[in-house]
Structures are given as C-alpha cells and as structure tokens.
Amino acid sequence: PAPGPVWEVLSDERVLALHRNERARVRSLSSALSGSAPRPDEDSKGLFDDAGALIRYLRSEGWDLVQAEERIRSTARWRKQFGLAGLRAGAKMEVIARENEAGRLYVRGFDKLGRPVLHVKMCHADLC
C-alpha cells in the first residue's frame, strides 16, 4: 500500500529539519486533519497534505494546535467558497483574461516551484 498523507508530510525534509517538539506538533496536526472525514464545505487539496502549509500555520499560531487547525480549516472553507479548485482547473479564464487586458492583473514574480504569482489590483477589479 502507498504511504498515506501523514507519512508523506512527516517524511518531508522541512519537517525533518524541525526540533522534535515541533515535529510532534506537525504530526498531531496532520493526523487531526487527515483523520477526519472530508468536509463538504472545505477544499483541502494541497493544503492539509502540504508540510510547508502545516508548518506555516503552526508557526503563525505559536505552535498552538487548536488555533492552527482552526485557521487552516478556515482557509480550506474560504478556498471552497471562492472556488479555488475551479480556478486551478481553468474555470473563469475569461475573467482573468479580462482583468489582464484591463491592466489590473500582473505577474509579481514566481514561487519556489516556478509558478507565477498573480496580483490583481482589487480597488479596480471587476471579478463578477
């Protein structure tokens, strides 16, 4: 059988570089997130199974597990409400093209994986 998401997170080099107590908190958060049934109001793909995301949420909450889980679940709910999965799949490309043509969308560098980071000048946006 293939390793599960918790194993993949825990074997990530970023997790292995952490102090033992911090690794234990990443393990606990990963287990809590992957141990429950998927919630229909959350889009957790690439979030709950991403070691970097778990570490970022834990660090931002001072390694408090309850607060970190609450915040990461809040992000997953926002992703679902915003329709991020659809955007990743190419939905609303006409909206993105329109914003780009109007000069409100621009590439502001690239992330560590080489993906473009897009910014929209929201004060002038027409995303409806």
Side-chain angles (χ1 to χ4, degrees):
V6 174
W7 173 253
E8 291 174 13
V9 166
L10 296 179
S11 61
D12 187 285
E13 63 186 32
R14 295 168 291 184
V15 175
L16 296 174
L18 296 171
H19 185 270
R20 183 176 6 141
N21 294 337
E22 294 168 343
R23 280 194 312 266
R25 290 181 187 264
V26 172
R27 180 183 327 110
S28 296
L29 181 58
S30 181
S31 295
L33 294 170
S34 67
S36 60
R39 296 180 182 180
D41 65 333
E42 293 178 347
D43 175 8
S44 61
K45 184 178 180 180
L47 186 62
F48 292 0
D49 57 353
D50 177 43
L54 299 182
I55 293 168
R56 282 190 301 278
Y57 279 85
L58 282 163
R59 278 189 178 143
S60 72
E61 293 301 329
W63 297 94
D64 182 298
L65 290 169
V66 173
Q67 288 296 105
E69 182 176 356
E70 184 178 308
R71 284 204 54 225
I72 201 167
R73 286 193 182 278
S74 175
T75 298
R77 286 190 300 275
W78 174 85
R79 286 176 161 201
K80 182 73 168 199
Q81 292 166 353
F82 188 73
L84 190 62
L87 288 175
R88 281 195 223 130
K92 301 200 183 228
M93 289 305 293
E94 69 283 350
V95 175
I96 293 172
R98 186 177 67 235
E99 294 300 315
N100 186 42
E101 288 172 8
R104 293 184 289 253
L105 178 80
Y106 58 97
V107 175
R108 183 68 176 186
F110 298 87
D111 69 7
K112 290 181 181 180
L113 299 176
R115 299 172 295 200
V117 176
L118 301 177
H119 285 258
V120 178
K121 297 177 187 174
M122 295 305 290
C123 61
H124 304 294
D126 180 22
L127 297 174
C128 298

